Amino acid sequence: MRLTTKGRYAVTAMLDLALHAERGPVSLADISERQGISLSYLEQLFARLRRFNLVKSVRGPGGGYQLMQNTAQISVAQVVDAVDESLDATRCDGKGDCHHGEVCLTHHLWEDLSRQIHVFLSGISLADLVGRLDIQAVSHRQDQRLQNKDRIEVNEIF
């Protein structure tokens, strides 16, 4: 099983959004800065997340993105599915043509693993992740780093 950067970045960005939701809409520029994900890539991911009604955009000053549902209602699997990320552990993308056009010896084992991974990720909500102290500590560190960077830039201007 291979989860590509598309799925990883989508989950990371949604978790960042969930962690900062109480402040109102969150800009993609802020998520980009905190998480080190390119702004253009985030724009592509959020277009998909918006189509799946996981986020909504808020225009105007102070605009950005908000979650469409409570964090307890959004699972990691939903986020991964929304960006068309495959959780397929088979070598044949689940087609069953992995051994000279036929099912290989271990096809069903890897297919079962793919299902179990999806079930596992379906059981983890953004609320579960937001509530973890280790994740909160990382988020706090990222926020502090961003605030310190902003202070340094302001001092350089004046």
Side-chain angles (χ1 to χ4, degrees):
M1 206 271 335
R2 190 174 68 97
L3 183 62
T4 65
T5 52
K6 189 189 321 180
R8 290 177 191 274
Y9 283 176
V11 172
T12 299
M14 286 291 284
L15 181 54
D16 185 287
L17 183 61
L19 284 160
H20 296 91
E22 77 282 350
R23 300 178 193 163
V26 179
S27 76
L28 292 184
D30 285 347
I31 295 173
S32 172
E33 185 76 28
R34 280 189 295 268
Q35 303 308 325
I37 304 170
S38 89
L39 186 56
S40 61
Y41 200 68
L42 283 173
E43 289 168 348
Q44 294 172 32
L45 291 175
F46 273 73
R48 292 176 182 216
L49 294 166
R50 195 172 52 244
R51 279 195 295 275
F52 275 74
N53 295 318
L54 295 177
V55 297
K56 66 179 178 178
S57 61
V58 177
R59 296 182 185 267
Y65 281 88
Q66 293 179 315
L67 298 173
M68 287 282 290
Q69 303 168 39
N70 184 295
T71 56
Q73 297 172 310
I74 301 174
S75 73
V76 172
Q78 285 177 289
V79 175
V80 171
D81 291 344
V83 296
D84 296 328
E85 183 64 27
S86 171
L87 295 174
D88 182 25
T90 66
R91 289 188 316 182
C92 62
D93 294 327
K95 296 175 190 161
D97 60 358
C98 30
H99 189 74
H100 308 293
E102 297 180 7
V103 173
C104 72
L105 200 57
T106 55
H107 177 82
H108 299 292
L109 169 68
W110 306 130
E111 204 171 49
D112 291 347
L113 175 62
S114 299
R115 261 191 303 282
Q116 287 300 314
I117 291 168
H118 198 274
V119 167
F120 172 74
L121 294 177
S122 293
I124 302 171
S125 71
L126 290 179
D128 295 330
L129 297 175
V130 167
R132 289 181 53 161
L133 294 178
D134 55 343
I135 289 175
Q136 291 174 19
V138 171
S139 179
H140 179 71
R141 185 191 73 229
Q142 291 172 338
D143 289 341
Q144 290 299 115
R145 186 180 309 130
L146 190 58
Q147 287 174 359
N148 291 340
K149 182 182 177 200
D150 289 345
R151 274 191 223 119
I152 291 169
E153 289 174 0
V154 168
N155 286 339
E156 289 174 354
I157 293 171
F158 296 106

